[in-house]
Amino acid sequence: MSETGLDIDEQLKLARTQMYEGRFQDALDRAKSALQTDPQHIDALYMKAVCERYCGHNDEALASVETLKSLSPDFGRAYQEEGHILKSIGDLESAIAAYRRACLCNPVLQASWKAQAEILEGWGHRQAALEMRGQEQRIAAMPKPLVAVSHLLHEGKLVKAENACRHFLQQNPHHVEAMRLLADIGARLGILEDADFLLESAIEFEPDNIQVRIDYIQTLRKRQKFSEALKQSELLYQRDTENPVFQSLYAIESMQTGNYEQALSLFEKVLQRLPEDPVTLTSQGHALKTFGRHEEAVLSYQNAIKSDPGHGDAYYGLANLKTYRFSDDELRLMETQEQGNRLSYQNRIHICFALGKAYEDRKDYNASFGYYERGNELKRLQSRYDADQMTAELDNQITACTPALFAKQSGKGCEAPDPIFILGLPRAGSTLLEQILASHSQIDGTLELPNILSLAHRLRRQKQASNDSLYPDNLHDIGADQLREMGQDFIDSTRIHRQGAAFFIDKMPNNFRHIGLIKLILPNAKIIDARREPMACCFSGFKQLFAEGQEFTYGLNEIGRYYSDYVRLMDHWDSVLPNAVLRVQHEDVLDDLEGQVRRMLDYLGLPFEQACVDFHQTERAVRTASSEQVRQPITKASVDLWRHYQSHLQPLKDALGSKILEPRQ
């Protein structure tokens, strides 16, 4: 409660009324009062900035906007308000940049599209202004409840957005835009199956709705339903084979299904029309990198940077090659971009991680850590990761997956011996193990497959008929037929990624959380725990910017706790499933490659092949952060890298705890 006796929501409701009545000083006082209770309240800060502008206090308004942007970097209305302030003082170049940023964060900010149109009309840029007017009119034509849903969605208020969207759909059950929005909300909440169903239904109602089909393709890709995503992208492509958006989508889906020649051919078509498009040049770089064409990948990334010096994904593409070294000019350019105020939030994150790698290579470890920490801090602001919730989730596995469970349910799943699961933490050497084993004539390498995680997610939402328990408790009650069907479905749904070998690898690291489920549905599956010394593993994860997921890596405390929880859960699996998991220590592989290769192949029941030792000569697409490293012979270059950063890593040591940090015997 504030001095007025009203809570914050009541104060802001009054302030909003005062704003609508034009009483901006009274509303400003009310917003300031609310901020005394909660100085970081986003809506109160936003109202404060608006009222300060209307009261003519532009410097104070800009300061409020800067605070807003630091607290909520993707808050579109903060950039819109910045645009209004800058426009009012005549700085139109900066204003239009702010409005553009606002629309990137929230595409339904009608005032930002309108303001851009007015500025462009004043400059005589009629065609560009017409495009802005088109966006303004599109929003004006939307039902107001859906505009409100869109605002909530793009401001991260997902539960409110979901409730409002469902309410609208109850009254308008076949409204395609509402279905699309609800699917977007579901995807952001990680409920991809619901998003998939909604978009598939929306396409049935409006087969020619391009945006719905694009959203559907992206959802299918996130679910790693690559063959269906490819089919949908080909349908778009066949509508207009000269459309660069359709060409690019088809290229991306071709790449996901391993057809790199077709992907690169399509990217070339896009670049014939848009030769300096930084997004396409960067995507082409990613494809070339995955395909092992290093020098061409470097050139594509560099061309993207020439086209747009603020395109962070291209800088990080170079950094993520691991073997690339930034020039002095590139370093200065990155620093200039990072210190300026024109970068988008995502571009800033990419450039911070790239600068961390650049200074690491120059052995300036303090500067390097500063940028890694800044990049991680920016990622944490976007994240909903909760370390306590993760600990509870893993505790539930320990509580539910008892010897009694495996005594009751063992031997009921699908008997196929095909899968080899390599799991653990990211950056623990799993890509190296996959490359080694995939060099064997009887083993296919695939991807970090999401199938087990998706199955666990479904089980969390399905109560068994016999009781109200949810996953993992409901593993006790699943019948033999269902366990067998789940295992067979895994075999069937992953077949698209295989090349015909008898065995295949799933290297999704997070599968360690579900070893109990794996052994119930696939009792003959082999499981390899890729483990690395804790400080080296955690710091390597901390300095890696992942394409998606792995949110526990964006803080030293968070990743330390996660590693500790992982070790505790793996100890449990060893206890209740003795000899089911082969632990392979990364440092042992570096010290005795052939010995560890023979040990793994013995565990898998396969004969030794020299190709596994000469793994770096194997030609195959590798999609993880280690793709360039596994194309080189074994090196110990990064084993002790973390020691150069020791002065910064006490929070990590504290989170790991003394037991985890005890030297290995």
Side-chain angles (χ1 to χ4, degrees), residues 45 183 336 339 406 542-543:
L45 277 166
T336 300
Q339 290 162 10
F406 297 108
F542 177 78
K543 71 190 191 75

Side-chain angles (χ1 to χ4, degrees), residues 37 42 44 64 166 179 190 232 309 387 406 445 457 471 524 582 612:
T37 304
I42 299 301
S64 296
R166 287 190 184 280
M179 295 169 76
Q232 292 294 328
F406 297 108
H457 182 75
Y471 180 78
N524 295 319
L582 179 72
C612 295

Side-chain angles (χ1 to χ4, degrees), residues 59 85 260 357 506:
D59 289 342
I85 299 163
Y260 293 94
K357 179 64 167 62
D506 175 354

Side-chain angles (χ1 to χ4, degrees), residues 339-625:
Q339 290 162 10
N341 61 1
R342 294 294 181 89
L343 282 180
S344 73
Y345 192 73
Q346 205 59 36
N347 281 331
R348 190 175 301 280
I349 290 172
H350 279 106
I351 287 177
C352 283
F353 276 93
L355 280 165
K357 179 64 167 62
Y359 276 108
E360 175 190 315
D361 292 337
R362 290 163 184 254
K363 297 181 169 52
D364 186 343
Y365 298 112
N366 286 329
S368 171
F369 184 83
Y371 281 114
Y372 281 141
E373 173 58 25
R374 178 157 166 70
N376 276 282
E377 184 180 356
L378 292 169
K379 282 293 291 183
R380 281 198 302 278
L381 284 171
Q382 290 184 317
S383 172
R384 297 194 301 273
Y385 179 72
D386 184 330
D388 290 336
Q389 184 177 325
M390 180 58 67
T391 297
E393 179 183 320
L394 302 191
D395 283 343
N396 288 341
Q397 292 286 335
I398 292 172
T399 302
C401 297
T402 60
L405 168 67
F406 297 108
K408 177 184 177 183
Q409 298 284 58
S410 65
K412 296 181 180 179
C414 172
E415 295 184 356
D418 310 22
I420 301 166
F421 292 92
I422 300 178
L423 41 72
L425 260 70
R427 312 298 297 146
S430 59
T431 303
L432 175 59
L433 298 189
E434 182 196 37
Q435 182 77 352
I436 289 168
L437 293 177
S439 301
H440 195 283
S441 61
Q442 295 187 50
I443 302 175
D444 286 331
T446 61
L447 299 167
E448 295 181 355
L449 302 173
N451 303 62
I452 295 295
L453 302 184
S454 296
L455 174 57
H457 182 75
R458 288 199 301 274
L459 288 170
R460 282 194 192 95
R461 303 173 68 204
Q462 293 174 5
K463 293 184 178 180
Q464 295 300 301
S466 58
N467 59 35
D468 290 334
S469 65
L470 295 176
Y471 180 78
D473 293 323
N474 56 9
L475 291 175
H476 289 263
D477 304 303
I478 298 175
D481 288 347
Q482 191 178 355
L483 289 172
R484 187 165 49 253
E485 287 168 9
M486 289 174 178
Q488 188 61 51
D489 180 66
F490 178 85
I491 298 297
D492 294 341
S493 61
T494 55
R495 202 172 299 281
I496 185 176
H497 304 295
R498 300 173 65 174
Q499 306 297 319
F503 303 94
F504 72 99
I505 296 167
D506 175 354
K507 66 174 292 289
M508 171 61 76
N510 302 346
N511 282 339
F512 82 85
R513 306 175 197 168
H514 307 289
I515 288 176
L517 172 62
I518 290 170
K519 293 304 288 183
L520 291 181
I521 68 170
L522 294 160
N524 295 319
K526 298 294 187 180
I527 300 174
I528 295 175
D529 173 19
R531 191 168 295 193
R532 188 177 178 186
E533 289 292 337
M535 291 297 291
C537 182
C538 292
F539 182 66
S540 185
F542 177 78
K543 71 190 191 75
Q544 179 70 40
L545 176 60
F546 292 92
E548 60 182 337
Q550 315 301 13
E551 293 189 353
F552 58 86
T553 64
Y554 297 116
L556 293 174
N557 176 67
E558 287 82 355
I559 195 169
R561 283 188 59 180
Y562 188 85
Y563 188 102
S564 181
D565 285 341
Y566 146 73
V567 170
R568 186 164 53 84
L569 182 56
M570 291 308 301
D571 288 346
H572 173 74
W573 296 132
D574 289 343
S575 172
V576 297
L577 293 166
N579 304 316
V581 178
L582 179 72
R583 183 153 300 113
V584 179
Q585 192 74 34
H586 181 64
E587 292 76 15
D588 292 344
V589 178
L590 302 186
D591 289 338
D592 179 17
L593 174 60
E594 183 171 332
Q596 290 300 312
V597 168
R598 290 183 180 276
R599 180 170 169 258
M600 286 189 287
L601 293 177
D602 286 346
Y603 167 73
L604 298 173
L606 294 173
F608 175 79
E609 291 183 2
Q610 183 62 32
C612 295
V613 176
D614 301 330
F615 64 87
H616 54 282
Q617 297 175 12
T618 301
E619 292 188 11
R620 56 181 287 266
V622 183
R623 305 191 193 189
T624 63

Side-chain angles (χ1 to χ4, degrees), residues 227-344:
S227 57
E228 182 60 25
L230 180 67
K231 177 184 171 184
Q232 292 294 328
S233 65
E234 188 175 10
L235 285 172
L236 275 185
Y237 176 68
Q238 294 300 337
R239 290 172 68 106
D240 182 358
T241 57
E242 297 304 310
N243 185 310
V245 174
F246 299 167
Q247 290 170 338
S248 184
L249 274 170
Y250 192 28
I252 290 167
E253 303 317 321
S254 298
M255 189 166 68
Q256 296 294 345
T257 49
N259 192 343
Y260 293 94
E261 290 89 347
Q262 179 165 285
L264 290 168
S265 172
L266 287 161
F267 284 135
E268 284 295 333
K269 285 185 178 180
V270 177
L271 291 169
Q272 287 170 11
R273 293 276 300 274
L274 305 168
E276 297 181 350
D277 181 53
V279 174
T280 303
L281 286 163
T282 303
S283 296
Q284 182 187 58
H286 295 336
L288 290 163
K289 170 201 169 186
T290 304
F291 208 30
R293 290 161 61 176
H294 175 95
E295 292 179 4
E296 293 170 86
V298 168
L299 184 61
S300 198
Y301 290 136
Q302 289 174 333
N303 286 337
I305 291 165
K306 284 178 188 173
S307 174
D308 178 4
H311 192 61
D313 194 13
Y315 292 107
Y316 191 68
L318 289 169
N320 210 27
L321 289 169
K322 308 300 180 187
T323 54
Y324 184 80
R325 299 294 177 264
F326 288 102
S327 69
D328 291 346
D329 287 345
E330 287 170 330
L331 183 66
R332 280 192 292 271
L333 181 58
M334 281 193 288
E335 289 192 312
T336 300
Q337 293 294 322
E338 203 282 322
Q339 290 162 10
N341 61 1
R342 294 294 181 89
L343 282 180
S344 73

